[in-house]
Amino acid sequence: MTMGISGLRTMALTAAAALAFTAGIGSASSQDQEWRSTSSLINPEAETAPFERYDHVNPDAPKGGQLNTVAPGTFDSFNPFIVRGTAAAGLTYFGGMLWDTLMQQSLADAGTSHALIADAFKYPDDYSSATYRIDERARWHDREPITAEDVVWSFNVLKEHSQMHNRYYANVTEAVAISEREVEFKFDQTGNRELPHIMGDLPVLPKHWWEGKDAQGRQRDVTQPTLEPPLGSGPYKIESFRAGSDITWARVDDYWAAELPVNIGRYNFEKRRYTYIQDDNAAWQAFTKGGLHDIRVENRAGRWATEYNFPAVERGDVVKRVFQSNSGEPMQGFALNMRKPQFQDRRVREAMTLAYDFESLNRLQFHNLYQRTNSYFQGGELASSGVPEGLELEILETVRDEVPAELFTEPFTLPTYDNAQAQRQHLRRASELLAEAGWRQQGGRLVNERGEQFRIEFLSNNPDGERTSGPYISTLRRLGIDATLRIIDSSQYVNRVRDYDYDVITGMLMQSQSPGNEQREFWSSQAADLPDTRNYAGIKDPAVDKLVDRVIFAKNREELVAATHALDRALLWGYYYVPQYHNSEIWVAYWNKFGIPETQPAYIGVDLDSWWILPDREKVIDEEYADEAAE
């Protein structure tokens, strides 16, 4: 996953890039462990190869212009780290455009990080701690230096008040300022290869600003929502806003890290404006007319196939492009909330899976443009297949009595609806499983021993939900289930998902090619009992907990891959999600006013921050748009 990303000189940057290798190697307790400006969990060669900039960027890309974007829903806060409030576009758990992190996750290489606020870090051989060294040039937007005290304060505040960071850094016991520029993070465990690395994902916040007072003399409070634009350190700052309506970000002219290798040729737009539109169809119309939305990443197959025929496309002012990514695909599926009693029996969940007809939906609604998702780690070497063998089998043997027996002898497969006979076969088997779980038919209704009908409410904030969920709901009704769809606004939806107040939602989980601590938030028993986690299905399975730990504490890449295969297999056979589909391509449509590098990073597929405005093209398009608007 990609996290949030004056007048520095190239000579200084070259010196900074070399810092990773200026110290010797020593014992775990000594000060001469190896400093690293690049860290990689997958490719050790990346740690020694010089990194001067990303290969895909144009280092001479001009700065200027405004990128216009439509954002869904609304916002009421500039504090993205707490549960309360909805953060504005441009802010994320990892800082977004406002706050830099200690290091930046690579756009081009999986499991790799490069220097940002920290110019280097080191750790002992047993992975029991990590020490980060702050770049002496790192500055807040008020030109105050970023210090070790800021890092320690940020860690303590986020660990206490941000549920995501509390879970992400659950095994980090303490952050200690060794000096003004060095911070040591101490862990409560050894052997976690990922933990020293992911400390680089920590967003650093300005202690002096948050502990100060606002213009009215009121004490600021990092534990509460706020609409006072915070002090940042990143490439952009908030220029203006209307709460819930729009926000404009302005590029920081004297951004301290503008010429660091990770930022060369990037962040080229002078301004970035987000306009909030709650209705998806209205957002689409805004894109077709121009002015409010310049780049659209399309996620509807039907629209991509049939609706890009409006006048701006025909005259070449809007361009469609397809990009490829090798970062893997997300798990998108119906998350069955096992906090609700009707989903606690695995046979019920399997029946729900059998009832989902992907092939007909893909043919009739999606123009056969999607592919079925059949792994929680879709794409690449982390997805399980066949039957377990080798090291994966050894790992699964440790939980043999806690997982379904067929996991060891049968490949996991999803139902295929390729003919009428298949439909009858799958629904017949679904009915049998429901009967085995204690549900029986009574006058066309599926009821339990108390005569209560099986009810499911699908919850969505997508007005298009009826089109994509409707066929599945109709099939469930054929089984006697009282299945319904409720579409609510985005604010209500966010709050209900945070509180797990739903039967079924469409969950989407992005995976990296180096899974680790985040798996606890996705699948662990502990996360199931905490509010606002991504354990949407409420999984509380001792075998899954053990396999998550095997992933986290894998000693090398080979063991990590085997442990991930084992975890994937256990999740699939648990039927916690009804897997839906994915798009192996990235569909992007944009108003033809951008300069774009010849290549884009293969790992993430497309880096919009590497694009830039072409003033002449922008002027022509603006004039055409103005003429049409006048007409």
Side-chain angles (χ1 to χ4, degrees):
M1 67 185 77
T2 303
M3 313 306 180
I5 328 195
S6 307
L8 300 176
R9 295 292 177 260
T10 302
M11 181 182 298
L13 292 168
T14 303
L19 284 172
F21 312 106
T22 58
I25 302 174
S27 66
S29 61
S30 72
Q31 295 182 350
D32 45 328
Q33 299 154 20
E34 181 182 6
W35 286 104
R36 307 163 188 263
S37 63
T38 291
S39 167
S40 181
L41 295 167
I42 298 176
N43 179 19
E45 293 181 1
E47 298 187 352
T48 57
F51 176 64
E52 298 177 356
R53 62 175 174 83
Y54 288 116
D55 291 340
H56 70 276
V57 302
N58 174 8
D60 300 317
K63 310 292 185 184
Q66 177 171 296
L67 175 63
N68 302 296
T69 305
V70 165
T74 185
F75 76 93
D76 58 12
S77 178
F78 297 138
N79 185 348
F81 306 112
I82 58 175
V83 173
R84 288 185 58 201
T86 301
L91 296 169
T92 71
Y93 280 127
F94 294 96
M97 297 191 293
L98 185 60
W99 294 290
D100 281 335
T101 49
L102 287 173
M103 301 187 80
Q104 184 192 91
Q105 293 268 0
S106 174
L107 309 176
D109 299 292
T112 300
S113 294
H114 299 296
L116 193 50
I117 286 178
D119 61 25
F121 83 114
K122 63 183 180 180
Y123 54 86
D125 292 340
D126 64 356
Y127 307 102
S128 60
S129 67
T131 301
Y132 279 74
R133 184 178 63 201
I134 299 169
D135 192 315
E136 62 183 359
R137 299 160 298 175
R139 293 290 185 273
W140 301 108
H141 293 161
D142 64 1
R143 308 312 299 161
E144 289 293 313
I146 300 175
T147 66
E149 186 178 4
D150 289 314
V151 177
V152 171
W153 185 84
S154 300
F155 170 77
N156 290 335
V157 164
L158 294 174
K159 182 85 183 284
E160 180 178 0
H161 299 291
S162 167
Q163 293 187 29
M164 196 285 294
H165 288 92
N166 179 273
R167 294 184 291 270
Y168 199 53
Y169 297 129
N171 298 111
V172 187
T173 58
E174 187 179 15
V176 179
I178 299 174
S179 69
E180 188 173 324
R181 290 182 54 213
E182 293 185 15
V183 176
E184 181 182 21
F185 298 99
K186 298 181 179 180
F187 310 148
D188 66 2
Q189 55 188 203
T190 59
N192 185 338
R193 294 173 58 248
E194 187 192 44
L195 202 46
H197 174 91
I198 66 172
M199 294 312 306
D201 297 336
L202 179 72
V204 182
L205 309 179
K207 177 184 177 183
H208 70 284
W209 189 89
W210 283 103
E211 291 192 341
K213 296 182 179 180
D214 64 16
Q216 288 72 44
R218 295 173 299 202
Q219 180 63 51
R220 297 187 180 100
D221 188 349
V222 73
T223 70
Q224 299 298 320
T226 182
L227 282 173
E228 179 188 9
L231 177 69
S233 62
Y236 288 90
K237 61 184 177 181
I238 298 170
E239 180 182 70
S240 63
F241 71 95
R242 291 182 296 169
S245 178
D246 58 71
I247 180 172
T248 298
W249 294 80
R251 191 172 62 85
V252 177
D253 290 333
D254 58 353
Y255 174 40
W256 77 271
E259 294 183 45
L260 284 182
V262 292
N263 291 329
I264 290 175
R266 305 185 69 238
Y267 304 119
N268 302 314
F269 306 117
E270 190 66 27
K271 295 186 179 182
R272 300 186 65 160
R273 177 180 173 83
Y274 294 87
T275 302
Y276 279 79
I277 298 179
Q278 295 200 28
D279 181 73
D280 180 67
N281 287 326
W284 164 246
Q285 292 302 318
F287 175 72
T288 65
K289 294 176 181 177
L292 290 180
H293 201 177
D294 296 331
I295 304 173
R296 180 180 175 90
V297 180
E298 186 57 68
N299 61 3
R300 285 183 52 177
R303 179 169 286 160
W304 185 254
T306 65
E307 296 183 36
Y308 280 84
N309 53 8
F310 49 93
V313 175
E314 294 173 353
R315 65 174 178 254
D317 287 336
V318 168
V319 178
K320 292 172 64 180
R321 281 190 65 177
V322 174
F323 296 91
Q324 305 291 337
S325 165
N326 62 18
S327 62
E329 304 297 338
M331 162 52 79
Q332 176 178 307
F334 292 113
L336 309 178
N337 188 359
M338 293 195 300
R339 301 171 186 88
K340 300 298 182 76
Q342 65 265 43
F343 299 123
Q344 290 173 4
D345 192 308
R346 189 176 77 100
R347 293 167 295 189
V348 169
R349 302 194 300 271
E350 183 179 356
M352 294 281 291
T353 301
L354 285 167
Y356 185 67
D357 180 356
F358 163 72
E359 284 72 25
S360 296
L361 189 66
N362 196 33
R363 184 179 69 255
L364 298 174
Q365 300 278 8
F366 303 145
H367 301 263
N368 285 321
L369 292 176
Y370 290 154
Q371 297 80 44
R372 187 74 191 268
T373 299
N374 54 24
S375 168
Y376 286 85
F377 301 87
Q378 185 77 37
E381 64 178 346
L382 297 177
S384 61
S385 62
V387 295
E389 57 186 22
L391 183 54
E392 181 196 355
L393 179 58
E394 292 179 27
I395 293 171
L396 285 168
E397 287 289 355
T398 66
V399 294
R400 176 176 280 275
D401 295 335
E402 302 171 83
V403 296
E406 56 265 40
L407 176 153
F408 292 93
T409 58
E410 301 176 21
F412 181 84
T413 58
L414 292 168
T416 301
Y417 280 74
D418 51 3
N419 55 61
Q421 291 74 23
Q423 182 183 63
R424 288 193 293 270
Q425 174 187 346
H426 295 318
L427 294 186
R428 183 185 307 114
R429 179 55 184 156
S431 294
E432 292 171 354
L433 287 167
L434 290 167
E436 292 172 13
W439 296 92
R440 57 187 174 83
Q441 289 288 336
Q442 185 180 80
R445 300 162 65 245
L446 192 68
V447 300
N448 59 18
E449 60 184 8
R450 295 184 298 276
E452 299 166 336
Q453 187 174 9
F454 195 127
R455 289 187 169 85
I456 304 174
E457 180 184 83
F458 289 74
L459 188 68
S460 176
N461 64 342
N462 181 5
D464 197 44
E466 176 62 37
R467 186 176 64 89
T468 55
S469 302
Y472 184 41
I473 289 173
S474 295
T475 300
L476 294 176
R477 288 172 178 168
R478 289 179 59 186
L479 293 172
I481 296 172
D482 180 13
T484 58
L485 170 66
R486 175 174 292 186
I487 299 174
I488 58 179
D489 65 50
S490 294
S491 296
Q492 288 179 298
Y493 182 80
V494 167
N495 290 329
R496 287 189 60 174
V497 171
R498 283 174 173 171
D499 294 335
Y500 311 119
D501 182 16
Y502 54 83
D503 294 336
V504 179
I505 61 170
T506 294
M508 179 178 287
L509 295 172
M510 300 293 297
Q511 294 283 8
S512 78
Q513 294 302 300
S514 182
N517 282 24
E518 76 286 345
Q519 302 303 309
R520 287 176 175 151
E521 185 182 0
F522 293 171
W523 323 117
S524 74
S525 298
Q526 181 185 21
D529 292 330
L530 295 172
D532 194 28
T533 73
R534 285 175 286 180
N535 188 344
Y536 302 125
I539 300 170
K540 299 181 73 172
D541 185 326
V544 169
D545 291 337
K546 293 173 185 176
L547 294 173
V548 164
D549 279 346
R550 289 300 298 260
V551 170
I552 292 172
F553 293 103
K555 296 180 179 63
N556 50 51
R557 182 68 183 175
E558 179 187 10
E559 184 177 337
L560 176 67
V561 172
T564 305
H565 287 171
L567 174 61
D568 185 33
R569 202 179 299 274
L571 293 170
L572 290 169
W573 282 100
Y575 293 102
Y576 302 115
Y577 275 53
V578 178
Q580 295 177 359
Y581 41 81
H582 64 273
N583 182 7
S584 59
E585 301 174 329
I586 302 172
W587 299 331
V588 180
Y590 56 90
W591 284 82
N592 192 13
K593 62 177 186 178
F594 296 99
I596 305 173
E598 291 184 7
T599 61
Q600 289 286 278
Y603 179 53
I604 66 168
V606 58
D607 173 21
L608 299 181
D609 286 315
S610 70
W611 296 19
W612 62 92
I613 296 288
L614 299 173
D616 291 344
R617 284 294 306 157
E618 184 177 45
K619 181 179 179 181
V620 169
I621 287 174
D622 286 347
E623 289 175 352
E624 289 180 356
Y625 168 73
D627 291 342
E628 289 188 3
E631 294 174 2

